Amino acid sequence: MREGQPSATALGAARHRALHQDLEGGAVFRDPLAWAILGIDRAAVLASVGDDPNRALRLFIAARHRFAEDRARAAIADGCSQVIVLGAGLDTFAHRVSGTGVTAFEVDHPATAAWKRDRLHDAGIVEGPHVRHVTVDFERDDLLDALHAGGVDATERVVVMWLGVVPYLSRDAVAATLNALGTMHCEVVADYRAPLSADADDTARQRASLLEERTASVGEPLSEPLDPLQMRELLDAAGFVTVDDLDRSAIRSRLLGLPPVGGAGGAHIVAAST
């Protein structure tokens, strides 16, 4: 992130979530607040999509939110009363679970958190008393101290949705965050970027290259990919014992209703519990 500015990639992800509501009719992930919180001209954005080269990325973003929210809602139905949205950006989950008895903690960099509060105000989205804000710099701050100060009860069960963050962090920062979360009775859902395999097709390589170029151009470069074995080792070391790791083929078949594809690597979604 550029100093003092909100996350450009968080804005991009929010735009993809909103576009999915129209271009695919919210078939994978429904978010009735997606356009409102953006505060942009819906018709103009839809008209500018053109040949839509970003459909694959948009569907992945929809899929990761669908998977994470399904896990969170299942936990809430089972009695969990705390959900942490880690790296919240313009995510609206906290504002769609009012009345469920859950306390939703939105955790993000101070600049992005302030920007989001402005967006909520301008959109007329009233925050309920169940929403709490926690500001943290994942590369520098002690996450556990910040969560405790923000009111998270580490003795009670918690679900953590950590989406669109790991691909931008150093491996040390990923490990530190998992180690902190691993001290709680916790289920975490995250996405990460794995190295493309030697047999990955040209389309996958082109998409990966374009994404790297775009994120670097806005001052938020992607970090080195994490091999699934490395991610599993980080989770194991942090005390997570139940792991469900969806690779590209599993995301397509389980969440998008599409046929699996060959070639490993690229986007993964992982759920793990202590």
Side-chain angles (χ1 to χ4, degrees), residues 135-149:
T135 57
V136 65
D137 184 329
F138 292 105
E139 293 284 356
R140 301 174 186 172
D141 297 337
D142 187 291
L143 176 61
L144 215 52
D145 286 349
L147 293 177
H148 290 166

Side-chain angles (χ1 to χ4, degrees), residues 161-250:
M161 301 194 299
W162 193 22
L163 306 178
V165 180
V166 173
Y168 301 92
L169 297 181
S170 67
R171 194 162 304 177
D172 286 347
V174 175
T177 301
L178 290 174
N179 289 339
L181 297 177
T183 65
M184 300 188 286
H185 181 193
C186 172
E187 177 180 9
V188 61
V189 182
D191 63 296
Y192 69 97
R193 191 172 67 113
L196 291 174
S197 62
D199 61 343
D201 58 37
D202 289 342
T203 299
R205 295 188 182 283
Q206 289 169 2
R207 286 172 180 161
S209 179
L210 286 172
L211 183 60
E212 289 177 356
E213 291 173 7
R214 283 199 300 268
T215 57
S217 72
V218 297
E220 299 176 33
L222 292 164
S223 59
E224 287 297 312
L226 272 171
D227 183 270
L229 179 59
Q230 294 171 326
M231 174 57 89
R232 183 59 184 259
E233 289 172 348
L234 292 177
L235 289 164
D236 288 346
F240 290 90
V241 294
T242 303
V243 177
D244 185 12
D245 192 329
L246 281 64
D247 63 9
R248 189 160 54 121
S249 285

Side-chain angles (χ1 to χ4, degrees), residues 2-272:
R2 290 171 174 151
E3 191 66 31
Q5 296 184 22
S7 169
T9 53
L11 177 60
R15 185 177 182 273
H16 282 305
R17 290 194 295 272
L19 283 168
H20 173 64
Q21 307 309 305
D22 283 77
L23 299 182
E24 288 84 31
V28 179
F29 165 72
R30 295 198 61 79
D31 182 353
L33 300 179
W35 280 109
I37 199 168
L38 270 178
I40 59 180
D41 189 326
R42 183 175 187 168
V45 172
L46 288 168
S48 71
V49 172
D51 292 336
D52 195 21
N54 295 316
R55 185 172 186 269
L57 177 59
R58 183 173 67 249
L59 287 176
F60 168 69
I61 289 172
R64 75 186 182 191
H65 280 270
R66 158 80 174 279
F67 185 73
E69 292 198 8
D70 282 353
R71 302 292 285 240
R73 291 184 186 279
I76 292 168
D78 193 41
C80 179
S81 62
Q82 299 182 112
V83 176
I84 297 172
V85 186
L86 203 55
L90 291 181
D91 186 282
T92 68
F93 177 80
H95 310 282
R96 292 183 277 113
V97 291
S98 177
T100 62
V102 69
T103 301
F105 299 88
E106 293 203 329
V107 183
D108 216 328
H109 189 279
T112 299
W115 167 62
K116 181 174 189 174
R117 288 194 291 271
D118 289 342
R119 288 298 326 120
L120 290 166
H121 177 268
D122 292 346
I125 300 173
V126 179
E127 287 191 299
H130 69 291
V131 181
R132 300 182 186 176
H133 294 277
V134 179
T135 57
V136 65
D137 184 329
F138 292 105
E139 293 284 356
R140 301 174 186 172
D141 297 337
D142 187 291
L143 176 61
L144 215 52
D145 286 349
L147 293 177
H148 290 166
V152 174
D153 185 349
T155 67
E156 295 292 331
R157 184 179 175 191
V158 62
V159 174
V160 178
M161 301 194 299
W162 193 22
L163 306 178
V165 180
V166 173
Y168 301 92
L169 297 181
S170 67
R171 194 162 304 177
D172 286 347
V174 175
T177 301
L178 290 174
N179 289 339
L181 297 177
T183 65
M184 300 188 286
H185 181 193
C186 172
E187 177 180 9
V188 61
V189 182
D191 63 296
Y192 69 97
R193 191 172 67 113
L196 291 174
S197 62
D199 61 343
D201 58 37
D202 289 342
T203 299
R205 295 188 182 283
Q206 289 169 2
R207 286 172 180 161
S209 179
L210 286 172
L211 183 60
E212 289 177 356
E213 291 173 7
R214 283 199 300 268
T215 57
S217 72
V218 297
E220 299 176 33
L222 292 164
S223 59
E224 287 297 312
L226 272 171
D227 183 270
L229 179 59
Q230 294 171 326
M231 174 57 89
R232 183 59 184 259
E233 289 172 348
L234 292 177
L235 289 164
D236 288 346
F240 290 90
V241 294
T242 303
V243 177
D244 185 12
D245 192 329
L246 281 64
D247 63 9
R248 189 160 54 121
S249 285
I251 292 168
R252 286 173 61 89
S253 59
R254 286 175 55 178
L255 301 177
L256 301 177
L258 298 172
V261 293
H268 279 237
I269 307 171
V270 62

